[in-house]
Amino acid sequence: MAEFTCYDLCGPDPNPMTKQEAKALKALCITLPQYPIIIQIGAERGVSTMAMLEERPDAFIFSIDTGERQQEYNNLKRAGLPWQRVVRGLGR
């Protein structure tokens, strides 16, 4: 079975993130200090959250959206990423 990554979710769905954008986000994450705290606004399916944790599994992410966005957690778990390092914040 092939590994499931953020790149599998990139594409033409609503609010898409391209593979190039995910790659650029990963490159930015490399520059962060050890154990970074990240605020992610707009969770949707969790593409950017996955990209950040794939590059920086030591990160702690506050993922903010207007709804629960269970799909984000489902995708993190499917990818075997440390979903416990992500806290949902609800906002409008």
Side-chain angles (χ1 to χ4, degrees), residues 61-82:
I61 301 174
F62 289 95
S63 183
I64 301 169
D65 210 311
T66 58
E68 289 297 325
R69 305 296 184 242
Q70 186 62 40
Q71 197 172 19
E72 178 185 40
Y73 282 117
N74 294 343
N75 287 327
L76 291 170
K77 289 177 185 178
R78 181 177 172 196
L81 293 168

Side-chain angles (χ1 to χ4, degrees), residues 20-92:
Q20 189 170 5
E21 290 169 330
K23 186 176 180 178
L25 182 57
K26 286 181 170 214
L28 285 173
C29 285
I30 291 171
T31 68
L32 297 174
Q34 191 174 23
Y35 304 108
I37 296 173
I38 299 170
I39 299 173
Q40 155 67 17
I41 300 174
E44 284 295 325
R45 296 170 290 148
V47 181
S48 54
T49 304
M50 285 179 64
M52 291 184 280
L53 284 176
E54 286 169 4
E55 199 60 48
R56 295 302 301 269
D58 63 327
F60 190 87
I61 301 174
F62 289 95
S63 183
I64 301 169
D65 210 311
T66 58
E68 289 297 325
R69 305 296 184 242
Q70 186 62 40
Q71 197 172 19
E72 178 185 40
Y73 282 117
N74 294 343
N75 287 327
L76 291 170
K77 289 177 185 178
R78 181 177 172 196
L81 293 168
W83 59 270
Q84 304 90 335
R85 299 191 63 79
V86 178
V87 171
R88 165 72 64 238
L90 297 177
R92 288 219 180 256

